[in-house]
Amino acid sequence: MHVRHALALSFLFVAGCGNAASPPPKRPALQAMLDEKKFQPTEMYTGVDTPEDQKLLEGIVNSAIKDVSAFPEPLDKRSVRARLTKMIDDADNYATEDREQVYRYAVRIWRAAGFSEESRLFPVSDEKVLAIP
């Protein structure tokens, strides 16, 4: 009887907290990237080439982040690399500086997914890709 009483109280407590905080995201580093504003001007990047490109480029990057976030555990490097390669290919027709920003996002997504080794997405090191000229 004591166990049933405890279970009933537990159920009432959980039911009463129906709108409590949702569980943390499975991959918080990727979620943080998803939440950030992208393609913002910096001292070395002037921002997107045209205003129309802002939403399209953000969509390309955010879609890749969402897809990688949805991959099952443990993350498969080949699957993540393939998805990031698609993201890079999807940005192929944008201005050079915007494509370079996409390349930086690719390396950042790779790392946010938890990989510490080189992504091998580019013929140069990830550090070179991340370096701003």
Side-chain angles (χ1 to χ4, degrees):
M1 176 112 164
H2 180 62
V3 172
R4 273 197 308 208
H5 181 67
L7 288 173
L9 284 176
S10 297
F11 175 76
L12 288 173
F13 178 76
V14 170
C17 298
N19 290 332
S22 60
K26 277 178 34 178
R27 298 187 172 110
L30 288 170
Q31 183 61 47
M33 280 190 71
L34 188 62
D35 294 341
E36 74 184 39
K37 288 186 175 243
K38 294 166 189 66
F39 299 94
Q40 299 299 305
T42 66
E43 27 327 296
M44 300 303 285
Y45 173 65
T46 59
V48 291
D49 190 45
T50 67
E52 301 82 34
D53 291 347
Q54 178 80 33
K55 189 172 186 170
L56 297 170
L57 286 163
E58 284 180 353
I60 289 168
V61 173
N62 285 340
S63 177
I65 294 169
K66 290 174 186 175
D67 289 348
V68 170
S69 294
F71 286 162
E73 290 287 348
L75 280 176
D76 176 63
K77 293 175 193 169
R78 288 175 299 181
S79 298
V80 173
R81 191 176 291 114
R83 181 58 184 93
L84 295 177
T85 298
K86 180 187 179 324
M87 179 184 80
I88 292 164
D89 291 345
D90 289 347
D92 195 43
N93 293 322
Y94 291 90
T96 301
E97 288 185 352
D98 296 338
R99 285 194 318 267
E100 289 172 351
Q101 280 294 97
V102 170
Y103 303 163
R104 289 182 193 102
Y105 281 114
V107 173
R108 290 184 57 213
I109 294 167
W110 177 260
R111 291 181 176 181
F115 301 117
S116 57
E117 65 272 7
E118 288 288 315
S119 67
R120 298 189 330 239
L121 292 165
F122 307 98
V124 298
S125 73
D126 289 348
E127 287 305 316
K128 271 202 180 249
V129 173
L130 291 173
I132 298 177

